[in-house]
Amino acid sequence: MAKPKIATDWMGACSGCHMSLLDMDERLVELLGKVELTSSPITDLKVPPESGVDVGVLEGAVNNTDNEHVAKRMRQRCKILVAIGDCAVFGGILGMRNFEPAYVALERAYEGADTTVDGKVPDSPEIMRPVVNRAVNEVVKVDVHVPGCPPRADVLYYVLSELAEGRIPKLDETKLTYD
Ligand code: SF4
């Protein structure tokens, strides 16, 4: 029987949730015996295949048009969509930008950062677009939410193992963390 296919991707994020995936250590090898990892930001192939996957995993919030494209593409190409981490589940720390107009964050990042000399906000339609940071489920339907910043490797292992067996993981209070 063909192994279930899994793809992962990230959006507005620090990549810590993918680092937590790697923290499964040797269990990653065991897991990869049960599933086919088709694409991921941490593999050579980055984009989920057009032919689709069984499970799509998204890290990060949706805070620009590219993130929105990534979220919709994964939703379109997977049967079960899993949001991992507080950024994906709730909007995370990136949601702080929602309290200020977009230009405040842009000025802080490009002009006012301690490491910036004579900086200016780049003239890009993508960057200049006012952004409202959103959790993934504000943009596309999410089937499994795994909060945590990041979710523990044990929890990610449990979630992916259950999905590999064709079951929807049950996340009780022993597995959930809210940071
Ligand atoms: Fe990073 Fe935490 Fe967001 Fe994951 S949930 S991307 S670890 S800030």
Side-chain angles (χ1 to χ4, degrees), residues 13-17 59 85-87 148-150:
C14 75
S15 63
C17 291
E59 166 189 331
D86 285 352
C87 294
C149 182

